Amino acid sequence: MTVLVTGARGNIGSRVVTGLHAAGRQVRATARDLATLSVPEGVQTARLDLTEDDVAADNPTAFAEALKDVDTVFLYATRTTAAPFLKAAHAAGVRHIVFLSSPASYEAAEFRGPIGRIHRAAEQDLAASGLDHTILYPSWLATNARRDWGAAIRARKPVELPYPAAQCVPIHPDDVAEVAVDLLLPDNATHRGRMQVLTGPASMRLDEAVAAIGAGLGRPIPVREISREAALARREPWMAAEILESLLDSAAAAVGRPAPITNTVERITGHPARPLSTWVAENRTDF
Ligand SMILES: NC(=O)c1ccc[n+]([C@@H]2O[C@H](COP(=O)([O-])OP(=O)(O)OC[C@H]3O[C@@H](n4cnc5c(N)ncnc54)[C@H](OP(=O)(O)O)[C@@H]3O)[C@@H](O)[C@H]2O)c1
């Protein structure tokens, strides 16, 4: 049987594909545009858009080809309902889904915001689907540092932070993917069927995370505190305004509050969660 990986081009999805393949699983890697996807030899590929129009019309056959012979799925959240895909997965005989959710789904600051709503809606769809599922709640992905600060650091400009004292727990994407792979392997049911809150090893302020990147690069990176209004005015076009508002709400609520730390990564993978410095050392050329 086959594991279907949605978002196989993503930071975590790509690692899940590699990990499952290395573990000897038959993998079907999917993306909305297959031309953008590169996978290890032996990995199958299929085009899959969870939000296609015919899918919105609740046409379960739309996914039948991608789901052929699939018993397990790694699922990303999207902005629309996951119900049609889950209905098709049920019909195709899928037995277990690992869903990449977000703590925004339950944390007070983002609960009512768009990130919370999107992830909670998918969790509700999963609960209603009748499929066995495990929900992953990773903390602040280390890849956020590249997404949000990479351009400034590369240009040797200050990193602008509206809430430099907000605390986060950076988690290495390899740790999230390793946990997902463990849960997706056959007959490996120990940790399945519930919520898994995954964090890195240490809570730190956002300006301390910037300093950790500077330490890894061997040069200090200046930080400039900016107002919330300035952050909103500098929004990148790819980030929706309501998403940025929600992220700012979350950061504001995390000022001076150490973020919770769990031992889930170590419990499931057998090794401690990787520190931010490991991710920085592996990704120096991105900065
Ligand atoms: N940022 C954080 O700190 C944080 C914390 C907790 C949880 N999370 C969760 O983790 C996610 C980010 O993970 P990441 O860095 O691995 O993401 P990423 O690199 O941005 O990749 C996202 C993937 O989602 C896929 N996708 C998007 N819309 C789709 C659709 N309609 N149909 C099928 N696939 C679709 C994309 O597929 P294509 O290749 O087809 O574009 C892409 O591969 C967030 O979206 C959130 O759900 C994030």
Side-chain angles (χ1 to χ4, degrees), residues 155-169:
R156 309 274 173 141
K157 290 182 176 164
V159 169
E160 297 182 327
L161 296 176
Y163 298 104
Q167 296 243 350
C168 66
V169 186

Side-chain angles (χ1 to χ4, degrees), residues 220-231:
I221 300 169
V223 168
R224 181 190 298 144
E225 183 167 355
I226 60 170
S227 67
R228 181 183 179 105
E229 292 67 35

Side-chain angles (χ1 to χ4, degrees), residues 59 93 104 127 164 255:
N59 172 12
V255 170

Side-chain angles (χ1 to χ4, degrees), residues 6-13 30-33 36 48-51 76-78 100-103 119 137-141 143-144 147:
T6 68
R9 206 169 54 91
N11 290 311
I12 295 168
T30 69
R32 287 173 290 184
D33 177 3
T36 62
L48 178 65
D49 184 341
L50 294 160
T51 61
Y76 271 92
T78 66
L100 179 64
S101 191
S102 163
H119 290 89
Y137 296 103
S139 58
W140 193 89
L141 299 177
T143 43
N144 292 346
R147 181 194 70 192

Side-chain angles (χ1 to χ4, degrees), residues 15-255:
R15 289 167 160 88
V16 170
V17 169
T18 311
L20 288 167
H21 181 61
R25 278 290 262 160
Q26 179 67 58
V27 185
R28 188 167 302 145
T30 69
R32 287 173 290 184
D33 177 3
L34 281 182
T36 62
L37 187 60
S38 130
V39 294
E41 204 179 324
V43 170
Q44 300 174 7
T45 58
R47 205 190 73 79
L48 178 65
D49 184 341
L50 294 160
T51 61
E52 286 189 315
D53 288 342
D54 53 348
V55 172
D58 200 6
N59 172 12
T61 59
F63 302 114
E65 197 178 322
L67 283 164
K68 193 165 179 291
D69 298 326
V70 167
D71 64 351
T72 322
V73 172
F74 177 74
L75 183 67
Y76 271 92
T78 66
R79 280 162 187 262
T80 62
T81 174
F85 175 77
L86 296 174
K87 187 172 174 183
H90 198 276
V94 168
R95 289 184 308 166
H96 180 230
I97 298 208
V98 174
F99 173 56
L100 179 64
S101 191
S102 163
S105 178
Y106 56 82
E107 280 183 348
E110 291 181 279
F111 183 79
R112 295 187 200 291
I115 307 176
R117 289 199 308 269
I118 286 167
H119 290 89
R120 209 165 46 254
E123 291 171 18
Q124 287 162 356
D125 290 339
L126 273 165
S129 73
L131 288 157
D132 284 342
H133 57 278
T134 307
I135 303 178
L136 305 184
Y137 296 103
S139 58
W140 193 89
L141 299 177
T143 43
N144 292 346
R146 179 172 52 211
R147 181 194 70 192
D148 297 342
W149 308 331
I153 295 172
R154 284 191 296 277
R156 309 274 173 141
K157 290 182 176 164
V159 169
E160 297 182 327
L161 296 176
Y163 298 104
Q167 296 243 350
C168 66
V169 186
I171 185 166
H172 195 301
D174 282 351
D175 286 335
V176 182
E178 272 185 51
V179 166
V181 167
D182 182 280
L183 293 160
L184 291 162
L185 291 176
D187 308 320
N188 207 356
T190 317
H191 305 288
R192 283 185 180 183
R194 51 185 185 273
M195 300 163 185
Q196 300 289 357
V197 179
L198 318 175
T199 75
S203 178
M204 62 185 75
R205 294 164 49 119
L206 289 174
D207 56 5
E208 290 171 341
V210 175
I213 295 169
L217 299 180
R219 58 185 160 91
I221 300 169
V223 168
R224 181 190 298 144
E225 183 167 355
I226 60 170
S227 67
R228 181 183 179 105
E229 292 67 35
L232 286 168
R234 283 167 217 192
R235 175 175 61 86
E236 298 283 348
W238 55 265
M239 181 165 298
E242 63 167 0
I243 298 281
L244 181 56
E245 290 269 14
S246 186
L247 291 173
L248 291 170
D249 289 346
S250 171
V255 170

